[in-house]
Amino acid sequence: TMISDALCLYPRICKSLTEIVFQKTKGNPFFVLEFMQSLQSRGLLRYNSLQKRWVWNEDVIRGEEITENVLHLLSSKMNGLSDNVQTLLRVMACYGVKIHALVIGYLSETKEYSGIRNGLEEALGGGFIVKDEEGYFQFVHDK
C-alpha cells in the first residue's frame, strides 16, 4: 500500500493505520499525503530510533478531524505560493477537470495571464497538479 511503502513497513504492520487514513481521506492520494505529513509534523506519527521504525497512536489518529486539518494545510500551502501559481490554479479551476498545455500557452501570451506558464513548475513540484501523456494538466485531487 501507499502507506506501507512510505513508512518502509510490511503492510500487515501498518494495516490499521492504513485503514484509518483511508477512511479519513477516502483514498485521495493528495489528501493521504497531506494528512500523513500533518500527523508527522504534529508528532502523531514519529520515527522511533530504538525500534528503528515509524510508530503512531491509532486511537489519537482515529479521533483526528481530517476536514479541518487538510483544509488548513491546503490554505496555508496556497497562501505561500507565488502569484503566478495562484493565478494558474485559479485559471485551471475555471476550466474544470483538465486543461491542455496549449491553452496555458495561449493564455500566457496575453497580458493578464503572462505569468501562468512560469507557475507550472512550482505547481507541479508542489504536488498541486500533474501532466498526463496527452499534454493535459489536472489537479492531483481529480486524478
Side-chain angles (χ1 to χ4, degrees), residues 89 92-93 96-97 128-130 137-143:
L89 297 177
M92 286 182 62
V97 177
F128 289 101
I129 62 173
V130 292
F137 291 95
Q138 69 184 67
F139 292 102
V140 171
H141 64 268
D142 286 334
K143 277 183 68 176

Side-chain angles (χ1 to χ4, degrees), residues 74-108:
L74 291 176
S75 175
S76 298
K77 203 170 183 180
M78 293 288 289
N79 288 334
L81 296 174
S82 71
D83 290 342
N84 289 337
V85 176
Q86 290 186 32
T87 301
L88 169 71
L89 297 177
R90 280 194 298 273
V91 167
M92 286 182 62
C94 291
Y95 277 85
V97 177
K98 290 183 176 184
I99 184 171
H100 199 276
L102 293 174
V103 174
I104 293 173
Y106 174 75
L107 288 171
S108 70

Side-chain angles (χ1 to χ4, degrees), residues 16-55:
S16 58
L17 176 64
T18 300
E19 290 170 354
I20 294 167
V21 171
F22 182 82
Q23 174 192 9
K24 300 228 174 253
T25 63
K26 307 295 186 247
N28 181 310
F30 184 70
F31 288 165
V32 170
L33 178 62
E34 292 297 321
F35 188 61
M36 293 294 288
Q37 288 175 343
S38 169
L39 295 176
Q40 191 273 327
S41 70
R42 293 180 295 131
L44 300 176
L45 173 67
R46 64 186 191 293
Y47 189 78
N48 184 310
S49 54
L50 294 175
Q51 294 180 11
K52 297 186 185 212
R53 71 178 195 93
W54 289 93
V55 295

